[in-house]
Amino acid sequence: TIDLDWKIFDPSRQPLIDKNKSLLDQASSDYTISRRDYGLKTREAFVKLQTSLAGISTSSQLVENDQFLLRLAQSRKRLGVASDLDIAKQLTVLKTDEVNQVTAQRDARVAEAELAELLNDPLATGIKPSTTLSPLGGWNADLKETIESALDYRKIIEKQLAIVRQNEKQALIDLAIYKPTISLVNSLYWTKGVGYVNLGPPWIIGSARSDLWNAESLLKVTFTGFDGGKARMEAEASKSRARAAQSAVQQSQNSVISEVREYFVDVQDGRQALIVATERVDAASSALKLQSLRFSAGFGSITDVVQSQQDLTQAVEAYIKELSDYNLALVSRSRASGIDYVEDLSLLEKVGEPPS
């Protein structure tokens, strides 16, 4: 026997198909979000490694300069024009910069391990960026253009919209129980008999056999007239979840706009802060050179030199931090809006290697 049932009309079929499409859209959005977040983490880890290596480089230069001034102070003491206090002050500055150097080396190892993990090679060592820490670029798009791009680009909004559609379709599926389902039921079976049974007496021959195929078809209508209101309550619950998801869509849009505005300010203000930090390093470096020359010529005191050294150390630390924060803001803003940063030659001319 072969039975074939075909639902000619099923009120839940199309809503179920639409719901599954929305589930696919949600899964696709989750995948895209994960890939983009992974890319953001990798870029951030790369910038952090550049920052740590820049800290090692600048702190090493500062330590070398401190050692030179310490030797100079020791020479002046032997000549009787400096005291143990002068040497102690210079030694304190040297040890401070050496601590900063060790800290930068530790941070570099941590950043290297983080980047190696993101590159799926956690045992890798000796990872070195192909470029040193410098401004990644600039931002040409205005705030309005950036926000509009972000609203079109961000998959989190599409994900929330997919959840809205899923719950709307689920409400239709829940209510479909009250609508009739029409099915075409087909049954095909095979019978065997002795003689020509379809002819009847007196023409039956005992040695004869007949194989008969019999087929039946009918329309079957199924519906639920009363279920105690269960389907309606489930449909209302699905509609409520859809309304909640719609509110989440608006919240996601507001969150995206707020995030983009924050990164926009970080980039704009960070660019200016980076330029000021560069000028501060230049001024501190020039002051230290002048104080060192005065001290070597027998003018001024070690206190003036130590103060200039401390000013330079603080200026260099601020410069590296501002540069790192600016690059991270650029990367985050690009991830949030889908617009990539562009080369900023004017900024590159103003910002360079921090002098020591």
Side-chain angles (χ1 to χ4, degrees):
T1 301
I2 301 176
D3 294 325
L4 299 174
D5 294 345
W6 176 39
K7 289 185 177 180
I8 300 176
F9 175 73
D10 184 355
S12 66
R13 179 185 293 130
Q14 190 59 47
L16 186 59
I17 293 173
D18 294 339
K19 179 183 178 181
N20 289 330
K21 287 182 179 179
S22 296
L23 287 170
L24 177 60
D25 292 340
Q26 180 182 351
S28 176
S29 295
D30 286 337
Y31 175 73
T32 303
I33 291 171
S34 297
R35 282 183 58 87
R36 290 174 179 176
D37 287 343
Y38 195 86
L40 172 63
K41 291 180 180 178
T42 304
R43 285 187 175 188
E44 288 178 341
F46 183 83
V47 171
K48 289 178 181 178
L49 181 57
Q50 284 184 317
T51 302
S52 300
L53 294 177
I56 293 176
S57 176
T58 54
S59 60
S60 298
Q61 294 174 11
L62 290 172
V63 167
E64 291 179 2
N65 191 66
D66 294 342
Q67 291 172 342
F68 168 75
L69 292 174
L70 177 60
R71 291 192 297 269
L72 182 60
Q74 290 171 340
S75 300
R76 287 173 61 86
K77 180 178 179 298
R78 287 192 295 268
L79 294 174
V81 293
S83 64
D84 290 334
L85 177 59
D86 295 334
I87 295 177
K89 289 180 178 180
Q90 185 58 45
L91 188 60
T92 300
V93 174
L94 172 61
K95 294 304 176 184
T96 299
D97 287 337
E98 285 179 342
V99 169
N100 293 337
Q101 184 182 33
V102 173
T103 301
Q105 291 172 346
R106 180 199 62 196
D107 292 342
R109 286 193 291 270
V110 172
E112 181 186 31
E114 181 181 351
L115 182 58
E117 180 182 359
L118 290 169
L119 295 176
N120 200 28
D121 191 7
L123 298 180
T125 57
I127 299 178
K128 301 294 182 184
S130 58
T131 56
T132 58
L133 182 65
S134 61
L136 291 175
W139 200 263
N140 287 341
D142 58 23
L143 180 58
K144 181 180 179 181
E145 181 181 353
T146 304
I147 291 176
E148 290 176 350
S149 174
L151 292 175
D152 291 336
Y153 175 75
R154 296 297 290 276
K155 286 293 183 178
I156 185 63
I157 299 175
E158 292 185 18
K159 176 183 176 180
Q160 294 296 340
L161 289 172
I163 295 175
V164 172
R165 293 193 296 270
Q166 291 168 32
N167 286 283
E168 290 175 344
K169 298 306 177 182
Q170 183 60 48
L172 296 177
I173 294 171
D174 294 333
L175 293 174
I177 193 173
Y178 296 124
K179 298 179 180 180
T181 299
I182 303 176
S183 303
L184 178 62
V185 180
N186 301 287
S187 182
L188 181 66
Y189 56 93
W190 186 24
T191 60
K192 285 178 178 275
V194 177
Y196 298 107
V197 295
N198 60 329
L199 297 179
W203 301 283
I204 296 178
I205 301 175
S207 62
R209 300 179 60 85
S210 64
D211 296 337
L212 300 178
W213 284 99
N214 298 279
E216 294 180 355
S217 297
L218 57 88
L219 286 176
K220 179 182 176 182
V221 179
T222 306
F223 69 94
T224 300
F226 178 74
D227 67 344
K230 177 183 176 182
R232 294 188 184 279
M233 292 300 100
E234 290 177 347
E236 286 300 321
S238 296
K239 291 178 181 178
S240 297
R241 287 192 290 270
R243 288 191 291 270
Q246 187 64 52
S247 298
V249 171
Q250 187 60 51
Q251 292 176 0
S252 296
Q253 291 175 338
N254 294 339
S255 177
V256 167
I257 293 174
S258 176
E259 188 179 61
V260 170
R261 290 172 66 94
E262 179 181 351
Y263 291 141
F264 190 90
V265 172
D266 288 343
V267 171
Q268 298 300 107
D269 294 347
R271 186 180 190 277
Q272 185 59 36
L274 177 58
I275 294 174
V276 173
T278 303
E279 295 171 349
R280 179 186 175 187
V281 171
D282 292 339
S285 179
S286 298
L288 178 58
K289 289 178 181 178
L290 292 174
Q291 289 291 354
S292 299
L293 291 174
R294 282 172 54 83
F295 186 69
S296 300
F299 300 98
S301 65
I302 193 64
T303 301
D304 297 330
V305 176
V306 168
Q307 183 61 53
S308 296
Q309 286 176 296
Q310 293 174 341
D311 291 343
L312 179 58
T313 299
Q314 294 172 1
V316 169
E317 290 176 350
Y319 168 85
I320 293 176
K321 182 180 183 303
E322 292 295 344
L323 179 52
S324 177
D325 290 347
Y326 175 75
N327 283 346
L328 290 175
L330 271 180
V331 169
S332 298
R333 186 174 170 184
S334 176
R335 164 66 180 90
S337 65
I339 302 176
D340 206 358
Y341 42 81
V342 297
E343 188 177 19
D344 191 342
L345 296 178
S346 63
L347 182 60
L348 290 174
E349 293 176 357
K350 297 175 182 179
V351 178
E353 293 287 337
S356 305

